[in-house]
Amino acid sequence: MTVPFVDLKAQYLSIKPEVDAAIQHILDNTQFILGAEVAAFEKEFAEYCGAKHCMGVNNGTSALHLAMLAADIGAGDEVITTPFTFVASVAAIWYTGAKPVFVDIDPKTYLIDPAKIEAAITPKTKAILPVHLYGQACDMDAIMAIAKKHNLIVIEDACQAHGSEWNGKRVGGIGDLAAFSFYPGKNLGAYGEGGATTTNNDEYARKIRMLRDWGAEKKYQHVLKGYNMRLEGMQGAILRVKLKYLEKWTEARREAAKRYDALFAGSGVPTPYVSDKSRHVYHIYSTRTTKRQEWQDALNARGIQSGIHYPIAIHNLPAYADLGYKNGDFPHAEKAAAEQLSLPMFPELTAEMQAEVAAAVIELHKKDAGLAR
Ligand SMILES: *Cc1c(COP(=O)(O)O)cnc(C)c1O
């Protein structure tokens, strides 16, 4: 049996008539950029997140970038985030001219450690950018309390966390602003590029609507120096179809995670730590091993795909060497980068596929444990 890491085709086939009709609708009405379908999706996704506003943009990176610009973050400011994330979280800070400042992760959750944030705050700190990595929300009670105390803006990187919750509240409606990605492999994926910023703040929403469309209040009335970061009509129409299934797909991911947890129980194979205040939406189901390359090779040989999210902490990437950090500065992030391994996870993953994955992983773990003795 082969087990893919994700299977976008299976999902498309499960909703093909509706998706095809949505695409045909855009071809017929020619609203290729923004338009009625995007506006309707924005309304529906805002509601889903429990946020007042949603602005569709061309990808998740732009969603982060515009969130920060709306909050007037720029040169001379510092933004606190995690070094254990996809590079886009940090790139978006860089685009604004602000300086990314890293805080190590909690090794249990892989998420920014709130207990270490205050030590990183300086007079230049303007915002905290927590990343809800793998689909698990950061401790937003702790982060919002720190932000309030120090008068900081909170921008959630919710690019992997559609539908995730902290303490009963959906991500996207907790911080001042939040960014989502609709990259095809994300929990809610477009069939191309897509993203959105959500906020409860009317002024931020107004600014982002302008900034994504050349800073124009009305056509040719450019009040801000803007960008071309609009969401396409076709993606809006497809996302509307897929949003209807998101809860069902999320529950399927959570069920699959439960099955993995049960299969690994008692084996010693590390399974994800989930806070009891968190609704994890399992964009990624993560284990870890000090023999990652061997495990990946052995899994591949059995037809099982796996992934690494992410192999190098951002402060150790050549592109961000100029931030002045060095290896050793964030030991938990570095260890996670060296050991983390993502197992196949998608809503259509079957119990049979999972049994195959678990049997292979448990066998590898046993072999390593034997060698260690
Ligand atoms: C995917 C992702 C992004 C960027 O989204 P794009 O749509 O690819 O631009 C940002 N942050 C995180 C954590 C992501 O996973």
Coordinates of all heavy atoms in Angstrom, one line a residue, residues 183-275:
Y183 N -3.2 28.4 0.5 CA -2.3 27.5 -0.4 C -2.9 26.1 -0.5 O -3.5 25.7 0.5 CB -0.9 27.5 0.3 CG 0.1 26.7 -0.4 CD1 0.9 27.3 -1.5 CD2 0.4 25.4 -0.1 CE1 1.8 26.6 -2.2 CE2 1.4 24.7 -0.8 CZ 2.1 25.3 -1.8 OH 3.1 24.6 -2.5
P184 N -2.8 25.5 -1.6 CA -3.6 24.3 -1.9 C -3.5 23.2 -0.8 O -4.5 22.6 -0.4 CB -3.1 23.8 -3.2 CG -2.7 25.0 -3.9 CD -2.1 25.9 -2.9
G185 N -2.4 23.1 -0.1 CA -2.2 22.0 0.9 C -2.7 22.4 2.3 O -2.6 21.6 3.2
K186 N -3.1 23.6 2.5 CA -3.5 24.1 3.8 C -4.9 23.5 4.1 O -5.6 23.0 3.2 CB -3.5 25.6 3.9 CG -2.2 26.3 3.7 CD -1.2 26.1 4.8 CE 0.2 26.3 4.5 NZ 0.6 27.7 4.5
N187 N -5.3 23.6 5.4 CA -6.6 22.9 5.7 C -7.8 23.4 4.9 O -8.7 22.7 4.6 CB -6.9 23.1 7.2 CG -6.0 22.2 8.1 OD1 -4.9 21.9 7.6 ND2 -6.4 21.9 9.3
L188 N -7.8 24.7 4.6 CA -8.7 25.3 3.6 C -7.9 25.8 2.5 O -7.2 26.8 2.6 CB -9.6 26.4 4.2 CG -10.5 27.1 3.2 CD1 -11.6 26.1 2.7 CD2 -11.3 28.3 3.9
G189 N -7.9 25.0 1.4 CA -7.0 25.3 0.3 C -7.7 25.8 -1.0 O -8.7 25.2 -1.4
A190 N -7.1 26.8 -1.6 CA -7.7 27.2 -2.9 C -7.1 26.3 -4.0 O -6.3 25.4 -3.7 CB -7.2 28.7 -3.2
Y191 N -7.5 26.5 -5.3 CA -6.8 25.8 -6.4 C -5.9 26.8 -7.1 O -6.1 27.0 -8.3 CB -7.9 25.2 -7.3 CG -8.6 24.0 -6.6 CD1 -9.9 23.7 -6.9 CD2 -7.9 23.2 -5.6 CE1 -10.6 22.6 -6.2 CE2 -8.6 22.2 -5.0 CZ -9.9 21.9 -5.3 OH -10.5 20.8 -4.6
G192 N -5.0 27.3 -6.3 CA -4.0 28.3 -6.8 C -3.6 29.0 -5.5 O -3.7 28.5 -4.4
E193 N -3.2 30.3 -5.6 CA -2.8 31.0 -4.5 C -4.0 31.7 -3.8 O -4.9 32.1 -4.5 CB -1.7 32.1 -4.9 CG -0.5 31.6 -5.5 CD 0.6 31.2 -4.5 OE1 0.4 31.4 -3.3 OE2 1.7 30.8 -5.0
G194 N -3.9 31.9 -2.5 CA -5.0 32.7 -1.8 C -4.6 32.9 -0.4 O -3.8 32.2 0.2
G195 N -5.2 33.9 0.2 CA -5.0 34.2 1.6 C -6.0 35.2 2.1 O -6.8 35.7 1.3
A196 N -6.0 35.5 3.4 CA -7.0 36.5 3.9 C -6.5 37.0 5.3 O -5.8 36.3 6.0 CB -8.3 35.9 4.1
T197 N -6.8 38.3 5.5 CA -6.6 38.9 6.8 C -7.9 39.0 7.5 O -8.9 39.4 6.9 CB -5.9 40.2 6.7 OG1 -4.7 40.1 5.9 CG2 -5.4 40.8 8.1
T198 N -8.0 38.7 8.8 CA -9.2 38.9 9.5 C -8.9 39.9 10.7 O -7.8 40.0 11.2 CB -9.8 37.6 10.2 OG1 -8.8 37.0 11.0 CG2 -10.2 36.7 9.1
T199 N -9.9 40.7 11.1 CA -9.8 41.6 12.2 C -11.2 42.0 12.7 O -12.2 41.9 11.9 CB -9.0 42.9 11.7 OG1 -8.8 43.7 12.9 CG2 -9.7 43.7 10.7
N200 N -11.2 42.5 13.9 CA -12.5 43.1 14.4 C -12.4 44.6 14.4 O -13.4 45.3 14.8 CB -12.7 42.7 15.9 CG -13.0 41.2 16.0 OD1 -13.8 40.7 15.3 ND2 -12.3 40.5 16.9
N201 N -11.3 45.2 13.8 CA -11.1 46.6 13.8 C -11.5 47.2 12.5 O -10.9 46.8 11.5 CB -9.6 46.8 14.2 CG -9.2 48.3 14.2 OD1 -9.5 49.0 13.3 ND2 -8.7 48.7 15.3
D202 N -12.5 48.1 12.5 CA -13.0 48.7 11.2 C -11.9 49.4 10.5 O -11.8 49.4 9.2 CB -14.1 49.7 11.5 CG -15.3 49.0 12.2 OD1 -15.4 47.8 12.1 OD2 -16.2 49.7 12.8
E203 N -11.0 50.2 11.2 CA -10.0 51.0 10.5 C -9.0 50.1 9.9 O -8.5 50.4 8.7 CB -9.4 52.0 11.5 CG -8.4 52.9 11.0 CD -8.9 53.7 9.8 OE1 -10.1 53.9 9.6 OE2 -8.0 54.1 8.9
Y204 N -8.5 49.0 10.6 CA -7.6 48.1 10.0 C -8.2 47.5 8.7 O -7.5 47.3 7.7 CB -7.2 47.0 10.9 CG -6.4 47.4 12.1 CD1 -6.3 46.6 13.3 CD2 -5.6 48.5 12.1 CE1 -5.6 46.9 14.4 CE2 -4.8 48.9 13.2 CZ -4.8 48.0 14.3 OH -4.0 48.4 15.4
A205 N -9.5 47.1 8.8 CA -10.1 46.5 7.6 C -10.2 47.4 6.4 O -9.9 47.0 5.3 CB -11.5 46.1 8.0
R206 N -10.5 48.7 6.7 CA -10.6 49.7 5.6 C -9.2 49.9 5.0 O -9.1 49.9 3.7 CB -11.1 51.0 6.2 CG -11.6 52.0 5.3 CD -12.0 53.3 6.0 NE -10.9 54.1 6.4 CZ -10.3 55.0 5.7 NH1 -10.7 55.3 4.5 NH2 -9.3 55.7 6.1
K207 N -8.2 49.9 5.8 CA -6.8 50.1 5.2 C -6.4 48.9 4.4 O -5.8 49.1 3.3 CB -5.8 50.3 6.4 CG -5.5 51.8 6.6 CD -4.6 52.0 7.8 CE -3.1 52.2 7.4 NZ -2.3 52.5 8.6
I208 N -6.7 47.7 4.9 CA -6.3 46.5 4.1 C -7.0 46.4 2.8 O -6.4 46.1 1.8 CB -6.4 45.3 5.0 CG1 -5.4 45.3 6.1 CG2 -6.2 44.0 4.2 CD1 -5.6 44.3 7.2
R209 N -8.3 46.8 2.8 CA -9.1 46.8 1.5 C -8.4 47.7 0.5 O -8.4 47.4 -0.7 CB -10.5 47.2 1.8 CG -11.3 46.1 2.4 CD -12.8 46.4 2.5 NE -13.4 45.5 3.5 CZ -13.6 44.2 3.3 NH1 -13.4 43.6 2.1 NH2 -14.1 43.4 4.2
M210 N -7.9 48.8 1.0 CA -7.2 49.8 0.1 C -5.9 49.3 -0.3 O -5.5 49.2 -1.5 CB -7.1 51.2 0.8 CG -8.4 51.9 0.9 SD -8.1 53.6 1.2 CE -8.0 53.6 3.0
L211 N -5.1 48.8 0.7 CA -3.7 48.4 0.4 C -3.6 47.3 -0.6 O -2.7 47.2 -1.4 CB -3.0 48.1 1.7 CG -2.6 49.2 2.6 CD1 -2.1 48.7 4.0 CD2 -1.5 50.1 2.0
R212 N -4.5 46.4 -0.5 CA -4.5 45.2 -1.4 C -4.8 45.6 -2.9 O -4.5 44.8 -3.8 CB -5.4 44.1 -1.0 CG -6.9 44.4 -1.2 CD -7.8 43.3 -1.0 NE -9.2 43.8 -1.1 CZ -10.3 43.1 -0.8 NH1 -10.2 41.8 -0.4 NH2 -11.5 43.6 -0.9
D213 N -5.4 46.7 -3.1 CA -5.9 47.1 -4.4 C -5.4 48.5 -4.7 O -6.1 49.5 -4.9 CB -7.4 47.1 -4.4 CG -8.0 47.2 -5.8 OD1 -7.2 47.0 -6.8 OD2 -9.2 47.4 -5.9
W214 N -4.0 48.7 -4.7 CA -3.3 49.9 -5.1 C -3.6 51.1 -4.2 O -3.5 52.2 -4.6 CB -3.6 50.2 -6.6 CG -3.1 49.2 -7.5 CD1 -3.7 48.4 -8.3 CD2 -1.7 48.9 -7.6 NE1 -2.9 47.6 -9.0 CE2 -1.6 47.9 -8.6 CE3 -0.5 49.4 -7.0 CZ2 -0.4 47.3 -8.9 CZ3 0.7 48.8 -7.4 CH2 0.7 47.8 -8.4
G215 N -4.1 50.9 -3.0 CA -4.3 52.0 -2.0 C -5.4 52.9 -2.4 O -5.4 54.1 -2.0
A216 N -6.3 52.4 -3.2 CA -7.4 53.3 -3.8 C -8.6 53.2 -2.9 O -9.1 52.1 -2.5 CB -7.7 52.8 -5.2
E217 N -9.2 54.3 -2.6 CA -10.4 54.4 -1.9 C -11.5 54.2 -2.9 O -12.5 53.4 -2.6 CB -10.6 55.8 -1.3 CG -11.8 56.0 -0.4 CD -11.4 56.6 0.9 OE1 -10.8 57.7 0.9 OE2 -11.6 56.0 2.0
K218 N -11.5 54.8 -4.0 CA -12.3 54.5 -5.2 C -11.4 54.4 -6.4 O -10.2 54.8 -6.3 CB -13.3 55.6 -5.5 CG -14.4 55.7 -4.5 CD -15.4 56.8 -5.0 CE -16.0 57.5 -3.9 NZ -16.0 59.0 -4.1
K219 N -11.8 53.9 -7.5 CA -11.0 53.7 -8.6 C -10.2 55.0 -9.0 O -10.8 56.1 -9.1 CB -11.8 53.3 -9.9 CG -10.9 52.6 -10.9 CD -11.7 51.8 -11.9 CE -10.7 51.0 -12.7 NZ -11.3 50.2 -13.8
Y220 N -8.9 54.9 -9.0 CA -7.9 56.0 -9.3 C -7.8 57.0 -8.2 O -7.1 58.0 -8.4 CB -8.3 56.6 -10.7 CG -8.3 55.6 -11.8 CD1 -9.4 55.6 -12.7 CD2 -7.3 54.7 -12.0 CE1 -9.4 54.6 -13.7 CE2 -7.3 53.8 -13.0 CZ -8.4 53.7 -13.9 OH -8.4 52.8 -14.8
Q221 N -8.5 56.8 -7.1 CA -8.3 57.7 -6.0 C -7.4 57.1 -5.0 O -7.8 56.4 -4.0 CB -9.7 58.0 -5.2 CG -10.8 58.4 -6.2 CD -10.8 59.9 -6.5 OE1 -10.6 60.7 -5.6 NE2 -11.0 60.2 -7.7
H222 N -6.0 57.2 -5.3 CA -5.1 56.5 -4.5 C -4.7 57.3 -3.2 O -4.0 58.3 -3.4 CB -3.8 56.2 -5.3 CG -4.2 55.4 -6.6 ND1 -4.4 54.1 -6.6 CD2 -4.4 55.8 -7.9 CE1 -4.7 53.6 -7.8 NE2 -4.7 54.7 -8.6
V223 N -5.2 56.9 -2.1 CA -4.9 57.6 -0.9 C -3.7 57.0 -0.1 O -3.1 57.6 0.7 CB -6.1 57.7 0.0 CG1 -7.2 58.5 -0.7 CG2 -6.6 56.4 0.5
L224 N -3.4 55.8 -0.4 CA -2.2 55.1 0.2 C -1.3 54.5 -0.9 O -1.8 54.3 -2.0 CB -2.7 53.9 1.1 CG -3.5 54.3 2.3 CD1 -4.1 53.0 3.0 CD2 -2.7 55.1 3.3
K225 N 0.0 54.3 -0.6 CA 0.8 53.6 -1.6 C 0.5 52.2 -1.4 O 1.0 51.5 -0.5 CB 2.3 53.9 -1.3 CG 2.7 55.4 -1.5 CD 4.2 55.6 -1.5 CE 4.5 57.0 -1.7 NZ 4.2 57.8 -0.5
G226 N -0.2 51.6 -2.4 CA -0.7 50.3 -2.2 C 0.0 49.2 -3.1 O 1.1 49.5 -3.6
Y227 N -0.6 48.1 -3.1 CA -0.1 46.9 -3.8 C -1.1 46.3 -4.7 O -2.3 46.6 -4.5 CB 0.4 45.9 -2.8 CG 1.4 46.4 -1.8 CD1 1.0 47.2 -0.7 CD2 2.8 46.2 -2.0 CE1 2.0 47.7 0.2 CE2 3.7 46.7 -1.1 CZ 3.3 47.5 0.0 OH 4.2 47.9 0.9
N228 N -0.7 45.3 -5.5 CA -1.6 44.5 -6.2 C -1.6 43.1 -5.4 O -0.7 42.3 -5.7 CB -1.3 44.3 -7.7 CG -2.2 43.3 -8.3 OD1 -3.0 42.6 -7.7 ND2 -2.0 43.1 -9.6
M229 N -2.5 43.0 -4.5 CA -2.5 41.7 -3.7 C -4.0 41.2 -3.6 O -4.4 40.8 -2.5 CB -2.0 42.0 -2.3 CG -0.5 42.3 -2.3 SD 0.1 42.6 -0.6 CE 1.9 42.7 -0.8
R230 N -4.7 41.3 -4.7 CA -6.1 40.9 -4.6 C -6.3 39.4 -4.8 O -5.5 38.7 -5.5 CB -6.8 41.6 -5.8 CG -6.7 43.2 -5.7 CD -7.2 43.9 -7.0 NE -6.3 43.5 -8.1 CZ -6.0 44.3 -9.1 NH1 -6.3 45.6 -9.0 NH2 -5.3 43.9 -10.1
L231 N -7.4 38.9 -4.2 CA -7.8 37.5 -4.3 C -8.5 37.4 -5.6 O -9.4 38.2 -6.0 CB -8.6 37.1 -3.2 CG -9.1 35.6 -3.1 CD1 -7.9 34.6 -3.1 CD2 -10.0 35.3 -2.0
E232 N -8.3 36.3 -6.4 CA -9.0 36.1 -7.7 C -10.4 35.6 -7.4 O -10.7 34.9 -6.5 CB -8.2 35.1 -8.5 CG -6.9 35.6 -8.9 CD -6.2 34.6 -9.9 OE1 -6.8 33.5 -10.2 OE2 -5.2 35.0 -10.5
G233 N -11.3 36.0 -8.4 CA -12.7 35.6 -8.3 C -12.8 34.1 -8.3 O -13.7 33.5 -7.5
M234 N -12.1 33.4 -9.1 CA -12.1 32.0 -9.2 C -11.8 31.3 -7.9 O -12.4 30.4 -7.4 CB -11.2 31.5 -10.3 CG -11.6 30.2 -10.9 SD -11.8 30.0 -12.6 CE -11.4 30.9 -13.7
Q235 N -10.8 31.8 -7.2 CA -10.4 31.3 -5.9 C -11.4 31.5 -4.9 O -11.8 30.7 -4.1 CB -9.0 31.8 -5.5 CG -7.9 31.6 -6.4 CD -7.7 30.1 -6.9 OE1 -8.1 29.2 -6.2 NE2 -7.1 29.9 -8.1
G236 N -12.0 32.7 -4.9 CA -13.1 33.0 -4.0 C -14.3 32.1 -4.2 O -14.8 31.6 -3.2
A237 N -14.6 31.8 -5.4 CA -15.8 30.9 -5.7 C -15.4 29.5 -5.2 O -16.3 28.8 -4.6 CB -16.1 30.9 -7.2
I238 N -14.2 29.0 -5.5 CA -13.8 27.7 -5.0 C -13.8 27.6 -3.5 O -14.2 26.6 -2.9 CB -12.4 27.3 -5.6 CG1 -12.6 27.1 -7.2 CG2 -11.9 26.0 -5.0 CD1 -11.3 27.2 -7.9
L239 N -13.2 28.6 -2.9 CA -13.1 28.6 -1.4 C -14.5 28.6 -0.8 O -14.7 28.0 0.3 CB -12.3 29.9 -0.9 CG -10.8 29.7 -1.2 CD1 -10.1 31.1 -1.1 CD2 -10.2 28.7 -0.2
R240 N -15.5 29.3 -1.4 CA -16.9 29.3 -0.9 C -17.4 27.8 -0.8 O -18.0 27.4 0.1 CB -17.8 30.1 -1.7 CG -17.7 31.5 -1.5 CD -18.9 32.2 -2.1 NE -20.1 32.1 -1.4 CZ -21.3 32.4 -1.8 NH1 -21.5 32.8 -3.1 NH2 -22.4 32.3 -1.0
V241 N -17.1 27.1 -1.9 CA -17.6 25.7 -1.9 C -16.9 24.9 -0.8 O -17.5 24.2 0.0 CB -17.3 25.1 -3.3 CG1 -17.5 23.5 -3.3 CG2 -18.1 25.7 -4.4
K242 N -15.6 25.1 -0.7 CA -14.8 24.3 0.2 C -15.0 24.6 1.7 O -15.0 23.8 2.5 CB -13.3 24.3 -0.1 CG -13.0 23.7 -1.5 CD -11.5 23.7 -1.8 CE -10.8 22.5 -1.1 NZ -9.4 22.4 -1.5
L243 N -15.3 25.9 1.9 CA -15.6 26.3 3.3 C -16.8 25.6 3.9 O -16.8 25.2 5.1 CB -15.9 27.8 3.4 CG -16.1 28.4 4.7 CD1 -15.0 28.2 5.7 CD2 -16.4 29.9 4.6
K244 N -17.7 25.2 3.1 CA -18.9 24.4 3.6 C -18.5 23.1 4.2 O -19.2 22.5 5.0 CB -19.9 24.2 2.4 CG -20.6 25.5 2.0 CD -21.8 25.1 1.1 CE -21.3 24.6 -0.3 NZ -22.3 24.2 -1.2
Y245 N -17.4 22.6 3.7 CA -16.9 21.2 4.1 C -15.8 21.3 5.2 O -15.4 20.3 5.7 CB -16.4 20.4 2.9 CG -17.5 20.2 1.9 CD1 -17.7 21.0 0.8 CD2 -18.3 19.1 2.0 CE1 -18.7 20.8 -0.1 CE2 -19.3 18.8 1.1 CZ -19.5 19.7 0.0 OH -20.5 19.5 -0.9
L246 N -15.4 22.5 5.5 CA -14.2 22.6 6.3 C -14.4 22.0 7.7 O -13.5 21.3 8.2 CB -13.8 24.1 6.5 CG -12.5 24.4 7.4 CD1 -11.3 23.6 6.8 CD2 -12.2 25.9 7.4
E247 N -15.5 22.1 8.3 CA -15.7 21.5 9.7 C -15.7 20.0 9.5 O -15.1 19.3 10.4 CB -17.0 22.0 10.3 CG -16.9 23.3 11.1 CD -15.8 23.2 12.1 OE1 -15.9 22.6 13.1 OE2 -14.7 23.9 11.9
K248 N -16.3 19.5 8.5 CA -16.3 18.0 8.3 C -14.9 17.5 8.1 O -14.5 16.5 8.7 CB -17.2 17.7 7.1 CG -17.4 16.2 6.8 CD -18.3 16.0 5.6 CE -17.5 15.1 4.6 NZ -18.1 15.0 3.3
W249 N -14.1 18.2 7.3 CA -12.7 17.8 7.0 C -11.9 18.0 8.3 O -11.0 17.2 8.5 CB -12.2 18.7 5.9 CG -12.7 18.4 4.5 CD1 -13.3 17.2 4.1 CD2 -12.8 19.2 3.4 NE1 -13.7 17.3 2.8 CE2 -13.5 18.5 2.4 CE3 -12.5 20.6 3.2 CZ2 -13.7 19.1 1.1 CZ3 -12.7 21.1 1.9 CH2 -13.3 20.4 0.9
T250 N -12.2 19.0 9.1 CA -11.4 19.2 10.3 C -11.7 18.1 11.3 O -10.7 17.6 11.9 CB -11.8 20.6 10.9 OG1 -11.4 21.6 10.0 CG2 -11.0 20.8 12.2
E251 N -12.9 17.7 11.4 CA -13.3 16.6 12.3 C -12.6 15.3 11.8 O -12.2 14.5 12.6 CB -14.8 16.5 12.4 CG -15.4 17.5 13.4 CD -14.7 17.5 14.8 OE1 -14.4 16.4 15.3 OE2 -14.4 18.6 15.3
A252 N -12.5 15.1 10.5 CA -11.9 13.9 9.9 C -10.4 13.9 10.3 O -9.8 12.9 10.6 CB -12.1 13.9 8.4
R253 N -9.8 15.1 10.2 CA -8.3 15.2 10.7 C -8.2 14.9 12.1 O -7.3 14.1 12.5 CB -7.8 16.6 10.4 CG -7.5 17.0 9.0 CD -7.1 18.5 8.9 NE -7.0 18.9 7.5 CZ -5.8 18.8 6.8 NH1 -4.7 18.3 7.4 NH2 -5.8 19.2 5.6
R254 N -9.1 15.4 12.9 CA -9.1 15.1 14.4 C -9.3 13.6 14.7 O -8.7 13.1 15.6 CB -10.1 16.0 15.1 CG -9.6 17.5 15.1 CD -10.7 18.5 15.6 NE -11.3 18.1 16.9 CZ -10.7 18.3 18.1 NH1 -9.5 18.9 18.1 NH2 -11.3 18.0 19.2
E255 N -10.2 13.0 14.0 CA -10.4 11.6 14.1 C -9.2 10.8 13.7 O -8.8 9.8 14.4 CB -11.6 11.1 13.2 CG -13.0 11.4 13.8 CD -13.2 10.8 15.2 OE1 -12.9 9.6 15.4 OE2 -13.6 11.6 16.1
A256 N -8.5 11.2 12.6 CA -7.3 10.5 12.1 C -6.2 10.7 13.2 O -5.5 9.7 13.5 CB -6.9 11.1 10.8
A257 N -6.1 11.9 13.8 CA -5.1 12.1 14.8 C -5.4 11.2 16.0 O -4.4 10.6 16.6 CB -5.1 13.5 15.3
K258 N -6.6 11.0 16.4 CA -7.0 10.1 17.5 C -6.6 8.7 17.2 O -6.1 8.0 18.0 CB -8.5 10.2 17.7 CG -8.9 10.7 19.1 CD -10.4 10.5 19.3 CE -11.2 11.8 19.4 NZ -12.6 11.5 19.4
R259 N -6.8 8.3 15.9 CA -6.4 6.9 15.5 C -4.9 6.7 15.6 O -4.4 5.7 16.1 CB -6.9 6.6 14.1 CG -8.4 6.4 14.0 CD -8.8 5.6 12.7 NE -8.5 6.4 11.5 CZ -9.3 7.2 10.9 NH1 -10.6 7.3 11.3 NH2 -9.0 7.8 9.8
Y260 N -4.1 7.7 15.1 CA -2.7 7.6 15.3 C -2.3 7.5 16.7 O -1.5 6.7 17.1 CB -2.0 8.9 14.7 CG -1.6 8.9 13.2 CD1 -1.8 10.0 12.4 CD2 -1.0 7.7 12.6 CE1 -1.4 10.0 11.1 CE2 -0.6 7.8 11.3 CZ -0.8 8.9 10.5 OH -0.4 9.0 9.2
D261 N -2.9 8.4 17.6 CA -2.5 8.4 19.0 C -2.8 7.0 19.6 O -2.0 6.5 20.4 CB -3.4 9.4 19.8 CG -3.0 10.9 19.5 OD1 -1.9 11.1 18.9 OD2 -3.8 11.8 19.9
A262 N -3.9 6.4 19.2 CA -4.3 5.1 19.8 C -3.3 4.0 19.2 O -2.8 3.2 20.0 CB -5.7 4.7 19.4
L263 N -2.9 4.1 18.0 CA -2.0 3.2 17.4 C -0.6 3.2 18.0 O 0.1 2.2 18.2 CB -1.9 3.4 15.9 CG -3.1 3.0 15.0 CD1 -3.1 3.6 13.6 CD2 -3.1 1.4 14.8
F264 N -0.2 4.5 18.4 CA 1.1 4.7 19.0 C 1.2 4.5 20.5 O 2.2 4.4 21.1 CB 1.7 6.0 18.6 CG 2.0 6.2 17.2 CD1 1.5 7.3 16.4 CD2 2.8 5.3 16.5 CE1 1.9 7.5 15.1 CE2 3.1 5.4 15.2 CZ 2.7 6.5 14.4
A265 N 0.0 4.4 21.1 CA -0.1 4.4 22.6 C 0.7 3.2 23.1 O 0.6 2.1 22.6 CB -1.5 4.2 23.0
G266 N 1.6 3.5 24.1 CA 2.4 2.5 24.7 C 3.6 2.1 23.9 O 4.5 1.3 24.4
S267 N 3.8 2.6 22.7 CA 4.9 2.2 21.9 C 6.2 3.0 22.1 O 7.3 2.6 21.7 CB 4.6 2.3 20.4 OG 4.5 3.7 20.0
G268 N 6.0 4.1 22.8 CA 7.2 5.0 23.0 C 7.4 6.0 21.8 O 8.2 6.9 21.9
V269 N 6.6 5.9 20.7 CA 6.7 6.8 19.6 C 6.1 8.1 20.0 O 5.0 8.1 20.5 CB 6.0 6.3 18.3 CG1 5.9 7.3 17.2 CG2 6.6 5.0 17.8
P270 N 6.9 9.2 19.9 CA 6.3 10.5 20.4 C 5.1 11.0 19.6 O 5.1 10.9 18.3 CB 7.5 11.5 20.2 CG 8.7 10.7 20.0 CD 8.2 9.4 19.4
T271 N 4.0 11.3 20.3 CA 2.8 11.9 19.6 C 2.6 13.3 20.0 O 3.2 13.8 20.9 CB 1.6 11.0 20.1 OG1 1.5 11.1 21.5 CG2 1.7 9.6 19.6
P272 N 1.8 14.1 19.2 CA 1.7 15.5 19.5 C 1.1 15.8 20.9 O 0.2 15.1 21.3 CB 0.7 16.0 18.5 CG 0.7 15.0 17.4 CD 1.0 13.7 18.1
Y273 N 1.7 16.7 21.6 CA 1.1 17.2 22.9 C 0.1 18.2 22.6 O 0.3 19.1 21.8 CB 2.2 17.9 23.7 CG 1.7 18.6 24.9 CD1 1.4 17.9 26.1 CD2 1.3 19.9 24.9 CE1 0.9 18.6 27.2 CE2 0.7 20.6 25.9 CZ 0.5 19.9 27.1 OH -0.1 20.5 28.2
V274 N -1.1 18.0 23.1 CA -2.2 18.9 22.9 C -2.7 19.5 24.2 O -3.1 18.7 25.1 CB -3.4 18.3 22.1 CG1 -4.5 19.3 21.8 CG2 -2.9 17.6 20.9
S275 N -2.7 20.8 24.4 CA -3.2 21.4 25.6 C -4.7 21.2 25.7 O -5.4 21.1 24.6 CB -3.0 22.9 25.5 OG -3.8 23.6 26.4

